[in-house]
Amino acid sequence: MPRALTLAVLAICVSVRSGATGRSNNDATLEQLYDQHRWFELRDTIAGGTVAPFYVGAVASAFNQVASAEAFLNRAVREARTPDDANKAREALAILYMQHSRSRDMLRILDDMLTAAPTRADVRNMRDGFERFRRIPNQVVHLGRRTPFVCAVTASGVTLPARVNGKPVEWLFDSGFSHASVSEGEARTLGIPVHGVSMTAGDFSATTQTQTGVAERIVIGDSELRNVPVMIFPDSHPMWSDRPPGRRGILGLPVAVALGGIGWTKSGTCQLGADPTGRVAIADANMAFDGESPPVTRVRFEGRMLDFTLDTGAQDGTQLWQRFAADFPQVIARGSKSTTEVQQIGGRREEEIVAIPDLRLRVGGFDALLPRARVFLNREGTGMQYGNLGMDVFSQAPEVTFDFRRMSIAFR
């Protein structure tokens, strides 16, 4: 049974630090919501009020309001009381630029961060790994007509036909990856030059070494991307072990964001782009970006709204995490202890779980059933979300749409 990376977000530059002391009570509340990645609550708390520009910018970034996010975060840098506060705003900018594959802009911000804090090893790791991108233009996209096309939709993932530098491939769409990714051998076959510098990439609990490159041209459907940043992993990495040549690649979140969105039907039809009509408002969004995880949405369970991440690359299924176990002990009590194998960026490992039969979640307007829900007793995720929605949920709905213009996820 093929397994994909569990929570395969490349959290390369994520070390958010708390700001200076002496804040007002309101600032302390906002800081707590920010540090805990509670984007929907932070959005609702600042609505209609006058708050520090950093939090306005952070919310704008989480809900893909790029121009507003840049303006407020740059203002937060200029008005920062301390070097740490300035770097906190710069870090949010760097994550914003990474999500949109604006690598040259990201490197400029990382330079500024290192000037202010030369000992930040996480920042230096990322800056050095992407150094070659200084001489390469930022990614650009030419959007097509949103024409539906045939794709493969199974419980193992959504696989899109594409052409990379003119050569046909079939790559997995993984909303949990921070970049497009490919094996070394596939990169050579496709004419993607491998940059010599290695850097450390990882998920929440494991790391590995990776290199970088740039795919000059990727065509998917009627749309074309140029200068696409690519993470290049060794051919020996377990994520490629079950995949033949031509399928040893991943279309990460920034590709889907650049395309405006991606939707698919259970019968195997995909469509790119966002719905161009109607009003767009942060208040209406049910999906948010998070710099340390895949996108986040809200799931209804037993009358409560819970934050879950959305990971189309989680082929081994949905995970529930420690926060779920802590808040729902009565649910845990009807489960049974077991172990399961998961695959992470650093390789495979056994983890202890509690298996709960017939657990139901309502997500994106759809009622999903987990016949055997797995609660990972030692898996915190970012420490804030309740779990990670995998392909066992996505594959149940007749139709799924990620819309990055409206920042919405819909299951129909």
Side-chain angles (χ1 to χ4, degrees):
M1 177 178 175
R3 296 178 176 87
L5 293 176
T6 301
L7 284 182
V9 58
L10 302 185
I12 303 166
C13 179
V14 190
S15 181
V16 177
R17 302 184 178 190
S18 299
T21 58
R23 305 294 177 87
S24 68
N25 288 336
N26 184 54
D27 281 348
T29 298
L30 296 176
E31 184 170 67
Q32 182 180 46
L33 293 175
Y34 175 80
D35 288 344
Q36 294 180 356
H37 304 254
R38 292 157 62 182
W39 304 114
F40 299 99
E41 293 173 71
L42 184 59
R43 172 196 64 186
D44 297 343
T45 300
I46 72 170
T50 301
V51 299
F54 172 77
Y55 297 109
V56 180
V59 167
S61 179
F63 293 97
N64 204 25
Q65 303 290 309
V66 178
S68 180
E70 285 186 285
F72 280 100
L73 291 173
N74 278 309
R75 179 182 163 192
V77 172
R78 294 193 301 271
E79 297 178 2
R81 302 178 188 180
T82 69
D84 277 353
D85 281 355
N87 261 3
K88 188 174 180 178
R90 291 188 185 106
E91 187 155 353
L93 272 170
I95 291 171
L96 172 71
Y97 293 145
M98 182 175 69
Q99 287 169 341
H100 290 270
S101 293
R102 293 172 55 178
S103 302
R104 295 175 75 174
D105 295 326
M106 179 183 69
L107 283 162
R108 172 176 52 81
I109 297 300
L110 297 178
D111 287 340
D112 292 342
M113 291 180 69
L114 282 173
T115 298
T119 61
R120 285 285 299 270
D122 58 335
V123 179
R124 189 172 301 279
N125 170 58
M126 191 171 187
R127 199 273 308 268
D128 292 349
F130 284 95
E131 181 63 33
R132 291 284 294 274
F133 289 179
R134 288 189 197 276
R135 300 189 293 274
I136 299 167
N138 286 330
Q139 176 182 283
V140 294
V141 61
H142 303 285
L143 297 176
R145 299 185 300 274
R146 302 188 70 221
T147 305
F149 57 92
V150 175
C151 58
V153 179
T154 70
S156 297
V158 179
T159 302
L160 305 178
R163 298 188 72 85
V164 178
N165 294 340
K167 298 179 180 179
V169 298
E170 295 180 0
W171 283 4
L172 188 75
F173 165 53
D174 190 341
S175 60
F177 253 80
S178 66
H179 291 81
S181 300
V182 66
S183 73
E184 284 185 275
E186 194 117 320
R188 287 191 297 270
T189 299
L190 298 172
I192 300 173
V194 180
H195 298 162
V197 178
S198 178
M199 66 178 175
T200 301
D203 55 21
F204 299 135
S205 57
T207 61
T208 190
Q209 292 300 113
T210 182
Q211 295 177 297
T212 60
V214 174
E216 183 179 341
R217 182 170 179 257
I218 297 180
V219 177
I220 311 170
D222 290 337
S223 296
E224 176 181 299
L225 299 99
R226 294 273 187 169
N227 308 316
V228 181
V230 176
M231 308 293 289
I232 300 171
F233 290 86
D235 292 331
S236 59
H237 197 285
M239 81 174 91
W240 313 126
S241 60
D242 297 323
R243 303 185 192 182
R247 297 175 66 94
R248 293 178 177 173
I250 289 169
L251 297 166
L253 181 63
V255 170
V257 172
L259 295 168
I262 177 171
W264 62 86
T265 65
K266 196 172 185 178
S267 60
T269 300
C270 286
Q271 187 175 39
L272 306 178
D275 183 346
T277 63
R279 176 174 172 267
V280 175
I282 287 178
D284 298 330
N286 72 348
M287 180 171 64
F289 291 141
D290 184 286
E292 295 187 36
S293 78
V296 178
T297 193
R298 310 206 87 182
V299 170
R300 181 173 292 278
F301 178 72
E302 294 195 348
R304 292 177 57 180
M305 297 301 292
L306 314 177
D307 288 357
F308 274 69
T309 53
L310 295 159
D311 188 357
T312 61
Q315 295 178 357
D316 58 351
T318 294
Q319 297 181 5
L320 306 175
W321 294 335
Q322 286 183 7
R323 190 176 181 192
F324 185 92
D327 284 13
F328 297 97
Q330 74 282 7
V331 177
I332 300 300
R334 64 184 179 89
S336 58
K337 285 192 175 183
S338 180
T339 61
T340 191
E341 183 183 74
V342 296
Q343 183 173 304
Q344 304 158 320
I345 285 181
R348 293 185 174 91
R349 60 185 288 177
E350 289 286 327
E351 293 204 20
E352 186 179 20
I353 64 167
V354 171
I356 301 168
D358 298 331
L359 190 142
R360 295 180 181 273
L361 304 171
R362 185 166 181 82
V363 53
F366 180 78
D367 290 317
L369 171 66
L370 301 179
R372 183 176 180 268
R374 301 172 304 159
V375 183
F376 285 72
L377 301 179
N378 299 312
R379 179 67 61 85
E380 295 183 6
T382 63
M384 309 304 158
Q385 282 90 32
Y386 283 85
N388 183 57
L389 298 178
M391 278 306 302
D392 54 342
V393 168
F394 290 109
S395 63
Q396 290 181 36
E399 184 177 348
V400 179
T401 303
F402 283 77
D403 188 323
F404 295 110
R405 178 172 177 261
R406 284 183 167 80
M407 287 303 289
S408 68
I409 177 75
F411 293 69
R412 299 180 181 89

Coordinates of all heavy atoms in Angstrom, one line a residue, residues 161-203:
P161 N -1.7 15.5 -14.9 CA -0.8 15.5 -16.0 C -0.2 16.9 -16.3 O -0.9 17.9 -16.2 CB -1.7 15.0 -17.2 CG -3.1 15.6 -16.8 CD -3.1 15.5 -15.3
A162 N 1.1 16.9 -16.5 CA 1.7 18.2 -16.8 C 2.9 18.0 -17.8 O 3.2 16.8 -18.1 CB 2.3 18.7 -15.5
R163 N 3.4 19.1 -18.2 CA 4.6 19.0 -19.0 C 5.7 19.9 -18.4 O 5.4 21.1 -18.1 CB 4.4 19.5 -20.5 CG 3.4 18.6 -21.2 CD 3.3 19.0 -22.7 NE 4.5 18.6 -23.4 CZ 4.6 17.4 -23.9 NH1 3.7 16.4 -23.8 NH2 5.7 17.1 -24.6
V164 N 6.8 19.3 -18.0 CA 7.9 20.1 -17.4 C 9.0 20.2 -18.4 O 9.6 19.2 -18.8 CB 8.4 19.3 -16.1 CG1 9.5 20.1 -15.4 CG2 7.2 19.2 -15.1
N165 N 9.3 21.5 -18.7 CA 10.3 21.7 -19.7 C 10.0 20.9 -21.0 O 10.9 20.4 -21.7 CB 11.7 21.4 -19.2 CG 12.1 22.4 -18.1 OD1 11.6 23.4 -18.0 ND2 13.1 22.0 -17.3
G166 N 8.8 20.8 -21.3 CA 8.3 20.2 -22.6 C 8.1 18.7 -22.5 O 7.7 18.0 -23.4
K167 N 8.4 18.0 -21.3 CA 8.4 16.6 -21.2 C 7.2 16.2 -20.3 O 7.0 16.8 -19.3 CB 9.7 16.0 -20.6 CG 10.9 16.3 -21.5 CD 12.2 15.8 -21.0 CE 13.3 16.1 -21.9 NZ 14.6 15.6 -21.4
P168 N 6.4 15.2 -20.7 CA 5.2 14.8 -20.0 C 5.5 14.1 -18.6 O 6.4 13.3 -18.6 CB 4.5 13.8 -20.9 CG 5.6 13.3 -21.8 CD 6.6 14.3 -21.9
V169 N 4.8 14.5 -17.6 CA 4.9 13.9 -16.3 C 3.5 13.7 -15.7 O 2.5 14.3 -16.2 CB 5.8 14.7 -15.3 CG1 7.2 14.8 -15.8 CG2 5.2 16.1 -15.1
E170 N 3.4 13.0 -14.7 CA 2.1 12.9 -13.9 C 2.5 13.0 -12.4 O 3.1 12.1 -11.8 CB 1.4 11.6 -14.1 CG 0.9 11.4 -15.5 CD 0.2 10.1 -15.7 OE1 0.1 9.3 -14.8 OE2 -0.3 9.8 -16.9
W171 N 2.3 14.2 -11.9 CA 2.8 14.5 -10.5 C 1.6 14.7 -9.6 O 0.5 15.2 -9.9 CB 3.6 15.8 -10.6 CG 5.0 15.6 -11.1 CD1 5.5 14.5 -11.6 CD2 6.0 16.6 -11.2 NE1 6.8 14.7 -12.0 CE2 7.2 16.0 -11.7 CE3 6.1 18.0 -10.8 CZ2 8.4 16.7 -12.0 CZ3 7.3 18.6 -11.1 CH2 8.4 18.0 -11.6
L172 N 1.9 14.4 -8.3 CA 0.9 14.4 -7.2 C 0.7 15.9 -6.8 O 1.7 16.6 -6.6 CB 1.4 13.6 -6.1 CG 0.4 13.4 -4.9 CD1 -0.7 12.4 -5.3 CD2 1.2 12.9 -3.7
F173 N -0.5 16.3 -6.6 CA -0.8 17.6 -5.9 C -0.8 17.4 -4.4 O -1.6 16.6 -3.9 CB -2.2 18.2 -6.4 CG -2.6 19.3 -5.5 CD1 -1.8 20.4 -5.2 CD2 -3.9 19.3 -4.9 CE1 -2.2 21.4 -4.4 CE2 -4.3 20.3 -4.1 CZ -3.5 21.4 -3.8
D174 N 0.1 18.1 -3.8 CA 0.3 18.0 -2.3 C 0.2 19.3 -1.7 O 1.1 20.1 -1.7 CB 1.6 17.3 -2.0 CG 1.8 16.9 -0.5 OD1 1.0 17.5 0.3 OD2 2.7 16.1 -0.2
S175 N -0.9 19.6 -1.0 CA -1.1 20.9 -0.4 C -0.2 21.1 0.8 O -0.2 22.2 1.4 CB -2.6 21.1 0.0 OG -3.0 20.1 0.9
G176 N 0.4 20.0 1.3 CA 1.3 20.1 2.4 C 2.7 20.4 2.1 O 3.5 20.5 3.0
F177 N 3.1 20.5 0.8 CA 4.5 20.8 0.5 C 4.6 22.3 0.2 O 3.8 22.9 -0.5 CB 4.9 20.0 -0.8 CG 5.9 18.9 -0.4 CD1 5.4 17.7 0.1 CD2 7.2 19.0 -0.6 CE1 6.2 16.6 0.4 CE2 8.1 17.9 -0.3 CZ 7.6 16.8 0.2
S178 N 5.7 22.9 0.7 CA 5.9 24.3 0.5 C 6.5 24.7 -0.8 O 6.6 25.8 -1.2 CB 6.8 24.8 1.6 OG 8.1 24.3 1.5
H179 N 6.9 23.7 -1.6 CA 7.5 23.9 -3.0 C 7.1 22.7 -3.8 O 6.9 21.6 -3.3 CB 9.0 24.1 -2.9 CG 9.5 25.3 -2.3 ND1 9.6 25.5 -0.9 CD2 9.8 26.5 -2.8 CE1 10.0 26.7 -0.6 NE2 10.2 27.3 -1.8
A180 N 7.2 22.9 -5.1 CA 7.3 21.7 -6.0 C 8.5 20.9 -5.7 O 9.5 21.5 -5.3 CB 7.3 22.2 -7.5
S181 N 8.4 19.6 -5.8 CA 9.6 18.8 -5.4 C 9.7 17.6 -6.4 O 8.7 17.2 -7.1 CB 9.4 18.2 -4.0 OG 9.3 19.2 -3.1
V182 N 10.9 17.1 -6.5 CA 11.2 16.1 -7.5 C 12.4 15.3 -7.1 O 13.2 15.8 -6.3 CB 11.5 16.8 -8.9 CG1 12.8 17.6 -8.9 CG2 11.5 15.8 -10.0
S183 N 12.6 14.1 -7.6 CA 13.7 13.3 -7.3 C 14.9 13.8 -8.2 O 14.7 14.4 -9.2 CB 13.5 11.8 -7.6 OG 13.4 11.6 -9.0
E184 N 16.1 13.4 -7.7 CA 17.3 13.8 -8.5 C 17.3 13.3 -9.9 O 17.6 14.0 -10.9 CB 18.6 13.4 -7.7 CG 19.0 14.2 -6.5 CD 20.3 13.7 -5.9 OE1 20.3 12.7 -5.2 OE2 21.3 14.3 -6.3
G185 N 17.0 12.0 -10.0 CA 17.0 11.4 -11.4 C 16.0 12.1 -12.3 O 16.2 12.3 -13.5
E186 N 14.8 12.3 -11.7 CA 13.7 13.0 -12.5 C 14.1 14.4 -12.9 O 13.9 14.8 -14.0 CB 12.4 13.0 -11.7 CG 11.2 13.3 -12.6 CD 10.2 12.2 -12.6 OE1 10.6 11.0 -12.7 OE2 9.0 12.5 -12.6
A187 N 14.8 15.1 -12.0 CA 15.3 16.4 -12.3 C 16.2 16.4 -13.5 O 16.1 17.2 -14.4 CB 16.0 17.0 -11.1
R188 N 17.2 15.4 -13.5 CA 18.1 15.3 -14.6 C 17.4 15.0 -15.9 O 17.6 15.6 -17.0 CB 19.1 14.3 -14.4 CG 20.2 14.7 -13.3 CD 21.3 13.7 -13.3 NE 20.9 12.3 -12.9 CZ 20.9 11.9 -11.6 NH1 21.2 12.7 -10.6 NH2 20.5 10.7 -11.3
T189 N 16.4 14.1 -15.9 CA 15.7 13.7 -17.1 C 14.9 14.9 -17.7 O 14.8 15.1 -18.9 CB 14.7 12.6 -16.8 OG1 15.4 11.5 -16.3 CG2 13.8 12.2 -18.0
L190 N 14.4 15.8 -16.8 CA 13.6 16.9 -17.2 C 14.4 18.2 -17.4 O 13.8 19.2 -17.8 CB 12.5 17.2 -16.1 CG 11.5 16.1 -15.8 CD1 10.6 16.4 -14.6 CD2 10.6 15.8 -17.0
G191 N 15.7 18.1 -17.3 CA 16.5 19.3 -17.6 C 16.4 20.3 -16.5 O 16.6 21.5 -16.8
I192 N 16.2 19.9 -15.3 CA 16.2 20.8 -14.1 C 17.5 20.8 -13.5 O 17.9 19.8 -12.9 CB 15.1 20.5 -13.1 CG1 13.7 20.5 -13.7 CG2 15.2 21.4 -11.9 CD1 12.6 20.0 -12.8
P193 N 18.3 21.9 -13.6 CA 19.7 21.8 -13.0 C 19.6 21.8 -11.5 O 18.8 22.5 -10.9 CB 20.3 23.2 -13.5 CG 19.1 24.0 -13.8 CD 18.0 23.1 -14.3
V194 N 20.5 20.9 -10.9 CA 20.5 20.8 -9.5 C 21.5 21.8 -8.9 O 22.7 21.7 -9.3 CB 20.8 19.4 -9.1 CG1 20.9 19.2 -7.5 CG2 19.9 18.4 -9.7
H195 N 21.1 22.7 -8.1 CA 22.0 23.6 -7.4 C 22.9 22.8 -6.4 O 22.4 22.0 -5.7 CB 21.3 24.7 -6.7 CG 20.5 25.6 -7.7 ND1 19.5 26.4 -7.3 CD2 20.6 25.7 -9.1 CE1 19.0 27.0 -8.4 NE2 19.6 26.6 -9.4
G196 N 24.1 23.2 -6.3 CA 25.0 22.4 -5.5 C 24.9 22.5 -4.0 O 25.3 21.6 -3.2
V197 N 24.2 23.5 -3.5 CA 24.1 23.7 -2.0 C 23.0 22.9 -1.4 O 21.9 22.8 -2.0 CB 23.9 25.2 -1.7 CG1 23.7 25.4 -0.2 CG2 25.0 26.1 -2.3
S198 N 23.3 22.2 -0.3 CA 22.4 21.4 0.4 C 21.8 22.1 1.6 O 22.6 22.9 2.2 CB 23.0 20.1 0.8 OG 22.1 19.3 1.5
M199 N 20.6 21.9 1.9 CA 20.0 22.5 3.1 C 19.1 21.5 3.8 O 18.7 20.5 3.2 CB 19.3 23.8 2.8 CG 18.0 23.6 2.0 SD 17.2 25.2 1.7 CE 15.9 24.8 0.6
T200 N 18.7 21.8 5.0 CA 17.9 20.9 5.8 C 16.5 21.3 5.7 O 16.1 22.5 5.8 CB 18.3 21.0 7.3 OG1 19.7 20.6 7.4 CG2 17.4 20.1 8.1
A201 N 15.6 20.3 5.4 CA 14.2 20.5 5.3 C 13.5 19.5 6.2 O 14.1 18.4 6.4 CB 13.7 20.4 3.9
G202 N 12.3 19.8 6.7 CA 11.7 18.9 7.6 C 10.2 19.1 7.8 O 9.7 20.2 7.4
D203 N 9.6 18.1 8.4 CA 8.2 18.3 8.9 C 8.2 18.6 10.4 O 9.2 19.0 10.9 CB 7.3 17.2 8.5 CG 7.8 15.8 8.9 OD1 8.6 15.8 9.9 OD2 7.4 14.8 8.4

